[in-house]
Amino acid sequence: MKIAIPLDENKQDVCIVLARTPYFLFSEDGNNSIVENPAAQAHSGAGIKAAQFLVDNDINTLITVRCGQNAADVFKAANIKIYKSANKAAADDLTACEEGKLSELTDFHGGFHGVQ
């Protein structure tokens, strides 16, 4: 299972925004990598661009604080599970996910359309 989590500038804490997060943590079989989010500086459509980036990186699971409806539609079409972050530290969310302690995210917002 390949998991993605949006990360803050400190590269440790879960970022509260998905589309314009500065980084993503990818975790697969205990191997973690941090990559820059190519959608972070997009003038428009950041949610869909970030979602497509994650799909292109073959994730199976996303852990996030919140997610826009357009991005959620991309994830659903790709059969990616979306879980609600329950911790400040990404490492704690990874552990909670592995232990089955995170709930699925089912409430999606309409997007911020340029407002962070």
Side-chain angles (χ1 to χ4, degrees):
M1 173 170 53
K2 188 171 185 180
I3 301 170
I5 302 176
L7 293 178
D8 273 339
E9 289 289 338
N10 67 12
K11 298 181 183 178
Q12 295 178 9
D13 293 336
V14 179
C15 186
I16 63 167
V17 295
L18 174 65
R20 297 189 185 276
T21 186
Y23 303 100
F24 285 107
L25 168 68
F26 291 129
S27 181
E28 184 174 28
D29 300 325
N31 297 311
N32 295 339
S33 62
I34 296 172
V35 297
E36 286 188 31
N37 174 14
Q41 301 302 319
H43 291 286
S44 64
I48 291 175
K49 289 175 185 173
Q52 189 60 55
F53 173 72
L54 295 176
V55 169
D56 291 346
N57 277 277
D58 298 320
I59 70 161
N60 310 91
T61 302
L62 170 66
I63 301 171
T64 186
V65 173
R66 60 186 180 204
C67 181
Q69 186 63 57
N70 290 339
D73 291 343
V74 172
F75 296 130
K76 287 179 185 179
N79 294 315
I80 294 171
K81 292 244 184 216
I82 307 170
Y83 291 98
K84 174 96 172 128
S85 172
N87 300 283
K88 181 178 179 178
D92 293 340
D93 270 347
L94 284 175
T95 300
C97 184
E98 291 168 2
E99 294 173 352
K101 294 181 178 177
L102 295 180
S103 58
E104 281 195 51
L105 183 64
T106 57
D107 184 29
F108 304 107
H109 61 79
F112 297 111
H113 309 285
V115 179
Q116 287 192 17

